[in-house]
Amino acid sequence: MNKIVRPETMERITTPALANAFIDEQLAEIRSQVGDKKVLLALSGGVDSSVVAALLIKAIGKQLVCVHVNHGLMRKGESEQVIEVFGKELDANLIYVDATDRFLDLLAGVAEPEKKRKIIGGEFIKVFDEEASKLEGISFLAQGTIYPDILESDGVKAHHNVGGLPEDMQFSLVEPVKLLYKDEVRVVGEALGLPHNMVYRQPFPGPGLGVRCLGAITRDRLHALREADAILREEFDNSGLAGKVWQYFIAVPDFKSVGVKDGKRYEGWAAIIRAVNTSDAMTATIEEIPYALLHKITDRITHEVPGINRVMMDITPKPVGTIEFE
Ligand code: XMP
């Protein structure tokens, strides 16, 4: 199969005016491709699938069916935002599947990172497949494939969603942002009126918090990780670091150590801060977070998150570390 190539004459989309021209062009193209047929989209809430959803809602309204699978490993508030923005504000045809128990039951006792990833990816396909088979009259599958996906792979969106979509699905593809680079997708997303925090979201692995809850995932430690991560993100937002640092998150390893709380011995987990900068994710350097902010984050996490009694910082660049702490 011939690879799709971005024409050299295609102007880089850097302004709202250029984004609006692209949007108009795509609306016409989508309408002529799809006609009065129905389109299915796995909507994770990430930048690419969100922009594709917004474009398709504008082009074909309720002919688009969005399925959002909550695998229980989302960051705090993410599934809620998908429901709020797409289900309520944009009035999309949205199917929300809370599959948390299915995923966490399957992951119970599994400590090996690759096994965890396989379980999450495999189960995602199963859940999506089950939902798709309940629907009638779907002719197209929309995907948030972007140009780097085409350059890096065979144009399959496998790296960006949890595990790729079922191969045996007999749908034609609708991929309206397949010639765009990430920064252009963001400009288009803003022009479509999506919330800034959705459009400028930091990268987040498909298997989500599952990779950062080290070892075998337990519900209480996953909850602690999600809460601590939300505090870190809030403090980065408040201090202005959020728009400056490429990726920042918390990882929680699967061992406890002794601490003291309210004058009593208190065994808890450590929350490990990781904040890195990179341009291509192949190498990464460490963000030097001001100590005053580190003290504030530590104070909040240790007081507000049950189960955490220490905060640490991972200052390993990539290489030797990876960006994720898995
Ligand atoms: P590492 O940890 O390999 O990560 O240095 C490089 C970048 O890739 C992201 N990452 C993923 N992104 N699905 C994704 O869409 C995944 O399964 C996945 N695993 C890692 C990671 O967050 C970092 O930005």
Side-chain angles (χ1 to χ4, degrees), residues 27 47 59 64 91 95 113 143 164 205-206 213 222 236 238 260 267 272 280 293 298 309 311-313:
L27 294 183
V47 184
L64 174 72
D91 193 26
I95 298 172
Q143 293 203 132
C213 192
L222 179 62
F236 267 48
N238 293 342
V260 185
E267 286 194 5
I272 300 174
D280 57 7
L293 181 59
T298 302
N309 67 355
V311 174
M312 302 179 184
M313 179 148 178

Side-chain angles (χ1 to χ4, degrees), residues 8 31 46 51 61 70 72 74 83 112 147 153 192 200 202 206 214 233 280 284 311:
E8 272 176 26
R31 287 179 189 132
V51 170
N70 178 358
M74 307 290 284
I83 294 170
E112 213 268 306
Y147 199 50
S153 67
L192 285 164
Y200 285 89
Q202 52 166 318
L214 307 188
R233 287 192 288 138
D280 57 7
V311 174

Side-chain angles (χ1 to χ4, degrees), residues 117 157-163 202-208 211-212 246-247 249 274 276 278 280-284 318 321-326:
R117 277 178 175 268
K157 189 74 187 166
H159 180 67
H160 277 260
N161 60 39
V162 184
Q202 52 166 318
F204 187 53
V211 304
R212 299 171 186 169
W246 168 278
Q247 204 165 347
F249 57 85
R274 188 143 177 79
V276 302
T278 176
D280 57 7
M282 302 301 286
T283 62
K318 175 182 182 175
T322 53
I323 290 178
E324 290 295 334
F325 191 150
E326 184 168 3

Side-chain angles (χ1 to χ4, degrees), residues 10 60 145 230:
M10 190 170 154
I60 57 168
T145 310

